[in-house]
Amino acid sequence: MTELVLPHHAAGRRIPLIGEAAIALAFAAAGALGYFLFPDDLAFLTRLIGIAFLVLSLDLVTGYCGIATLGHAALFGGAAYAVGAACIRGISDPFALLAIGLCSGAVLGLVSGALISRFRGLPQLVLSIAIGQLVAGLANKLQWLTGGSDGLSGLEPGKVFGVFGFDMYSRTAFLLSFTVLAITFLLLRRVVNSPFGLMCRGIKDDSLRARMMGASIYPRFVIMYGIAGAVAGLGGALTAMSTGVVGLDSVSFERSAEVLVMLVLGGAGHLWGALIGSVIFMLFEHIVAAANPFHWMTLVGLLLILIVVFAPRGLIGPLTALCARLFSREKKT
Amino acid sequence: MGLVLSILTDALAYGMVLFIISIGLSIMMGLMRVVNLAHGAFAMIGGYLASYAMRNLGVDYGVAILIAVLGAIAASVPFELLLYRRIYRNADPLIQVLMTIGITFFIIGIVNFVFGPTVKSIPLPAALNGPADLGFRMIPTHRLFVIACGVVTALGLWWLVEKTEFGIRLRAAVDNSGMADALGIRTEIVYGATFALAIGLGAFGGVVGAEILPIEPFYALRYMVTFLVVVSVGGAGSILGALSASMLLGLADTTGKYLAPEFGEFFFYLAVIVTVVLFPHGLLGKAHA
């Protein structure tokens, strides 16, 4: 996606934090909508939020750094297993578990980033797959820690703030996940618009020119991988806590491929794109895959081909173009 | 001694299957620089076609192989014309990965819709069924057949690439596509022929290797990684590289399965990571500009 150029407007004098406040409001509205309109589907919505973390994390690596990876579920699943193992061994405070997920995700991200971002093209892809499979293999074999093919089940995290317990309707889990997602999204927006984030995007668009400017590529990519790992780790931790189980599917190759599809569907290189993609994909999967998994695969494949050929910027592309046009027309009049 | 011999024959047969299927992918990557994740999907089409031809139409094993190879090539033509042409040589890896994964999912869905989502067996003819006596040891005839197929494929490809007019054009296009074009070599035709050759080899390998890598609904996804790893370890575009990588990985995997079944896959991928980090362009591959 080399032709993808994102305009960046330096922020003028405005009320400080107004953008953040608007986004927080939008999130609150969407959360309230989900909470009150679909009170029976909160478990599914919580699962969706967990995956959205992973897609956001992949966006940081693939969308902003241009690293093609097919092993990203390793970060998510690794953190989920860490949280599960800690929870079974008696750490039950949800925030402590979240911190464990975040840290283990970040460590996994730094390690795999240090290996993967050294290369480009085929070696990079194969390394990312091999790391993903390595983690999956470990999760399957280290039975004393991960429960092997049965996974970890019966996780019972404690009450949030000592008041709100995790119930069978996933109310607490949904609200907690949603709040964490909103905060993470706001922070990530800062990260990708910071000089560091802009430099990563610049390296992706033209790494030779970036090197000529004196930017060192490798450390930036490793740091970005670490941040992405932390985000994926949060998602893994929230999923483990809300469902109470951690299984091999959370580290599987299919999971890695699916989140890549979600990201591209929404639009790589754009945080909103990652969210939109995960929501649309998961909703469709919820409805279609239940009917016939092979029709679902055909549809996903067709969709992916169509997107790559006709809308390489994802669904967010036309949307942002529309916004830009409205914005410029406003300016002219 | 017996154990070592059975490990070696199994490893050799497994490695040959890997070689026959992956060499097409390797040539494609060397010439067109396309990371074709859908290669296994075309091998799967071949397997499904052969199974259908033998069990429902009642044809011979040899005819079934022919049907599978030609059928897979025919099925791949629209994909080549409409999709692969766009990503030859100049697209970035992410686009290639996405498009070929899309093609894989699409083919898996369609093939299982048409032929039904069950494991497809390809019955062996009587001549290949049963053990063969080598004088000092009995080994399954099918293993011998697969090894022979692999050797013939390798020699045939070597002859094609090194000794024929087409091979000269192919090597010219690999080394410098623009210059080959300027000298009057029709590179689109070379690309098209290579694509068909690659798919045909994939389908051939899928059919003769069905005893070792069973044809099942998620074949394309399950072995996608394995084929890609062979190419990456051997080096894209190198016949000898793909052959040695297939043998090496076949040996590592088979030995692992015999001696330490609970940790086989783990060491396999650890070996892959170490090899790729040490030799990013593969054991015998050249760096492409």
Side-chain angles (χ1 to χ4, degrees):
Chain A
M1 265 160 239
T2 40
E3 81 283 6
L4 189 132
V5 177
L6 292 163
H8 177 69
H9 305 289
R13 273 174 192 279
R14 280 185 304 177
I15 309 164
L17 296 183
I18 181 111
E20 276 82 353
I23 291 174
L25 267 181
F27 263 95
L33 212 68
Y35 188 82
F36 290 112
L37 281 188
F38 307 103
D40 301 330
D41 286 328
L42 286 184
F44 165 69
L45 290 180
T46 313
R47 201 156 59 82
L48 197 163
I49 295 171
I51 297 294
F53 273 98
L54 182 55
V55 181
L56 275 176
S57 158
L58 183 67
D59 197 12
L60 292 180
V61 173
T62 304
Y64 286 91
C65 298
I67 299 173
T69 160
L70 272 176
H72 212 66
L75 310 179
F76 178 88
Y81 271 111
V83 168
C87 192
I88 279 182
R89 278 161 187 72
I91 301 175
S92 69
D93 181 60
F95 289 103
L97 290 176
L98 271 184
I100 290 175
L102 183 113
C103 294
S104 49
V107 170
L108 275 171
L110 286 173
V111 172
S112 50
L115 278 173
I116 292 172
S117 47
R118 278 180 60 195
F119 305 103
R120 305 279 306 157
L122 179 63
Q124 186 181 63
L125 189 67
V126 171
L127 263 184
S128 74
I129 295 175
I131 289 174
Q133 298 287 320
L134 198 69
V135 172
L138 279 182
N140 194 10
K141 302 306 175 200
L142 297 181
Q143 284 216 337
W144 54 275
L145 188 66
T146 63
S149 50
D150 298 335
L152 299 171
S153 56
L155 310 180
E156 285 178 7
K159 297 180 172 179
V160 181
F161 300 123
V163 184
F164 308 103
F166 284 84
D167 51 71
M168 64 175 286
Y169 299 105
S170 311
R171 289 201 195 104
T172 315
F174 174 75
L175 291 177
L176 176 70
S177 310
F178 207 82
T179 319
V180 178
L181 179 68
I183 296 170
T184 312
F185 188 85
L186 289 175
L187 288 177
L188 284 184
R189 215 169 142 264
R190 283 265 145 143
V191 170
V192 298
N193 287 321
S194 68
F196 164 73
L198 290 175
M199 184 48 99
C200 282
R201 215 185 284 179
I203 294 172
K204 188 201 97 176
D205 287 342
D206 193 335
S207 63
L208 183 66
R209 206 179 286 179
R211 272 217 300 278
M212 293 301 169
M213 281 160 52
S216 48
I217 296 173
Y218 182 58
R220 284 194 170 78
F221 278 8
V222 175
I223 292 171
M224 197 54 135
Y225 233 107
I227 298 173
V231 175
L234 279 178
L238 284 169
T239 308
M241 285 195 292
S242 58
T243 56
V245 290
V246 183
L248 280 178
D249 62 313
S250 62
V251 285
S252 66
F253 180 75
E254 284 80 4
R255 172 67 57 86
S256 298
E258 262 179 14
V259 291
L260 195 60
V261 177
M262 293 183 209
L263 175 62
V264 177
L265 175 68
H270 210 287
L271 292 180
W272 286 112
L275 287 189
I276 292 175
S278 45
V279 169
I280 295 178
F281 185 95
M282 293 287 286
L283 283 181
F284 267 98
E285 187 186 27
H286 196 55
I287 299 163
V288 182
N292 182 335
F294 287 107
H295 288 338
W296 170 239
M297 288 201 94
T298 316
L299 263 182
V300 170
L302 199 61
L303 192 70
L304 198 51
I305 297 170
L306 289 178
I307 283 181
V308 172
V309 174
F310 294 110
R313 289 185 193 185
L315 295 180
I316 194 88
L319 265 179
T320 47
L322 194 73
C323 285
R325 209 190 300 161
L326 286 177
F327 187 68
S328 62
R329 198 175 293 164
E330 251 170 46
K331 255 185 177 176
K332 272 176 203 160
T333 51
Chain B
M1 189 59 200
L3 182 68
V4 173
L5 261 179
S6 38
I7 289 181
L8 279 184
T9 29
D10 277 3
L12 198 60
Y14 180 55
M16 280 302 177
V17 173
L18 283 186
F19 169 72
I20 300 174
I21 299 180
S22 314
I23 185 62
L25 183 61
S26 176
I27 296 175
M28 258 186 92
M29 248 179 235
L31 177 60
M32 285 90 114
R33 318 264 200 279
V34 173
V35 183
N36 183 16
L37 299 180
H39 193 71
F42 291 110
M44 180 167 129
I45 292 183
Y48 270 63
L49 280 177
S51 170
Y52 178 78
M54 287 195 73
R55 294 198 310 182
N56 297 44
L57 307 181
V59 299
D60 248 18
Y61 192 62
V63 181
I65 290 180
L66 206 64
I67 289 177
V69 170
L70 295 180
I73 292 178
S76 75
V77 168
F79 289 102
E80 205 270 347
L81 290 178
L82 292 175
L83 299 174
Y84 280 97
R85 288 233 164 138
R86 297 164 182 272
I87 53 173
Y88 285 163
R89 281 197 169 246
N90 50 9
D92 78 321
L94 187 61
I95 295 267
Q96 300 182 346
V97 167
L98 293 170
M99 184 180 278
T100 51
I101 283 196
I103 293 172
T104 312
F105 281 171
F106 183 72
I107 290 180
I108 290 180
I110 292 286
V111 164
N112 283 298
F113 174 68
V114 175
F115 293 103
T118 50
V119 177
K120 304 290 175 207
S121 66
I122 300 176
L124 288 172
L128 297 178
N129 219 344
D133 197 350
L134 286 187
F136 59 99
R137 206 174 153 70
M138 307 285 274
I139 62 170
T141 318
H142 175 258
R143 296 275 191 278
L144 280 184
F145 172 67
V146 168
I147 294 170
C149 283
V151 172
V152 170
T153 308
L155 287 178
L157 274 178
W158 172 80
W159 177 78
L160 183 73
V161 172
E162 298 291 331
K163 299 286 173 196
T164 60
E165 179 82 21
F166 176 74
I168 294 172
R169 289 167 195 271
L170 179 74
R171 277 180 290 145
V174 168
D175 286 342
N176 192 333
S177 173
M179 182 56 86
D181 223 0
L183 289 175
I185 294 173
R186 301 277 299 275
T187 43
E188 325 87 80
I189 293 180
V190 177
Y191 287 172
T194 314
F195 185 84
L197 177 71
I199 300 300
L201 281 172
F204 177 60
V207 178
V208 297
E211 292 284 303
I212 298 167
L213 308 178
I215 303 288
E216 43 115 3
F218 290 101
Y219 182 89
L221 272 181
R222 173 153 305 166
Y223 301 111
M224 172 196 282
V225 180
T226 318
F227 304 147
L228 208 60
V229 161
V230 169
V231 176
S232 176
V233 168
S238 156
I239 297 176
L240 199 61
L243 190 58
S244 46
S246 304
M247 291 302 130
L248 203 68
L249 294 174
L251 192 64
D253 199 59
T254 313
T255 317
K257 274 183 190 146
Y258 267 96
L259 301 181
E262 65 276 21
F263 270 102
E265 206 160 62
F266 176 74
F267 286 119
F268 178 77
Y269 284 109
L270 199 63
V272 169
I273 291 177
V274 171
T275 322
V276 173
V277 167
L278 292 181
F279 306 95
H281 298 293
L283 295 173
L284 294 169
K286 280 181 279 186
H288 290 303

